[in-house]
Amino acid sequence: MSTWRIVMMNNAGEGARVLETAIRNAGDWSSFWQDRNGGVSEDWRESRIDMFLSQGASTGRRWADYNNMEKRYYVPVKTYVLGGVKMTKGSVLRYTTTPQSRSPGGGGKVKERLFPAMTVAQDANYVYSVDKNSNKVEMGTSLSYAWNQDQGIGGWTRTWGKKNKKSVTVLTPRRPLTLFGDPFISKLRERLGRAAANMGGKVGITDAEYAANFKLNGGRIGLP
């Protein structure tokens, strides 16, 4: 018997919830992982779209709104680049005039980068890599500044003036991009259950409280 584990952090980051799959004569997991266009990747992309549209709320705490430094030095530049359109609801981390759209956008002479890099499978910066030998997956984006947003590190420097140049650095607030969130975990649970059932296995969950929260039947996932 082989055992496979997926370790997930809850929304508050207070601890690991472990889903255990015990599969007798474990078979091919490729139908579970699939490629960047389907399977877990599809569930992940949908969860990231919901994350942007809810401004982080779907994966945990809502992202911080623009702080005073951002409003003074960053928002005016962003507004100008987007063609003078006033920032509307859901504009944090969206570089578009239509931040409530589920599709990438832009404005003026620019196109969005971060949103498609986490939600569009064909985007050059979208990352979905599966090691099927060890059942490990890497999901996210290769955009360098996405890590700064996720961790709340680094900053953006604005410089102005020709003769007497001045500059100011606006520190980056932490706005998590990689928290799973309950909707994604729920879809993953169901997909995992179907894959295990197809291979004649069963799926169990080790955390009784977590099982109760999701109203699982006898601690089983995705099985009748």
Side-chain angles (χ1 to χ4, degrees):
M1 178 183 293
S2 62
T3 301
W4 174 46
R5 291 188 175 188
I6 296 179
V7 179
M8 300 178 179
M9 296 299 293
N10 64 9
N11 283 344
E14 295 170 346
R17 307 295 195 179
V18 182
L19 304 182
E20 292 187 353
T21 308
I23 305 296
R24 292 181 176 85
N25 301 317
D28 183 6
W29 281 92
S30 59
S31 63
F32 172 75
W33 292 117
Q34 297 187 37
D35 58 18
R36 65 195 292 128
N37 295 304
V40 175
S41 175
E42 182 178 5
D43 295 340
W44 172 255
R45 294 196 311 273
E46 285 297 313
S47 74
R48 296 312 91 180
I49 292 175
D50 291 339
M51 175 188 72
F52 278 100
L53 266 60
S54 68
Q55 298 285 268
S58 67
T59 62
R61 293 183 180 179
R62 187 179 179 85
W63 293 333
D65 198 357
Y66 290 123
N67 59 35
N68 290 334
M69 288 290 285
E70 289 177 305
K71 289 178 180 178
R72 183 173 180 180
Y73 295 107
Y74 172 71
V75 172
V77 174
K78 181 178 179 180
T79 301
Y80 174 79
V81 172
L82 288 174
V85 178
K86 184 178 180 181
M87 295 296 99
T88 59
K89 179 182 178 181
S91 62
V92 174
L93 297 190
R94 292 296 307 271
Y95 221 93
T96 175
T97 56
T98 55
Q100 287 301 305
S101 172
R102 297 184 70 84
S103 301
K109 297 181 180 180
V110 300
K111 291 184 178 180
E112 236 179 338
R113 295 186 64 199
L114 180 59
F115 180 81
M118 299 196 73
T119 64
V120 179
Q122 290 73 36
D123 190 273
N125 292 301
Y126 178 74
V127 173
Y128 184 77
S129 176
V130 179
D131 182 346
K132 295 179 181 178
N133 293 322
S134 60
N135 275 322
K136 291 182 180 179
V137 63
E138 182 181 8
M139 301 179 293
T141 177
S142 59
L143 280 180
S144 59
Y145 63 83
W147 178 249
N148 290 3
Q149 296 285 356
D150 185 74
Q151 298 295 307
I153 58 178
W156 173 79
T157 300
R158 178 181 175 183
T159 303
W160 66 94
K162 294 182 178 180
K163 292 184 178 180
N164 298 314
K165 286 190 175 182
K166 296 182 180 180
S167 64
V168 63
T169 297
V170 180
L171 299 180
T172 303
R174 184 168 187 262
R175 296 176 176 121
L177 298 171
T178 56
L179 294 176
F180 285 117
D182 292 344
F184 173 69
I185 292 176
S186 180
K187 287 185 178 180
L188 189 65
R189 233 183 36 245
E190 294 172 2
R191 188 179 294 278
L192 184 60
R194 290 195 300 270
N198 290 337
M199 287 188 279
K202 59 183 179 179
V203 185
I205 192 165
T206 60
D207 191 309
E209 180 182 356
Y210 193 56
N213 288 342
F214 281 103
K215 300 180 180 179
L216 301 181
N217 180 20
R220 293 190 176 189
I221 307 170
L223 299 178

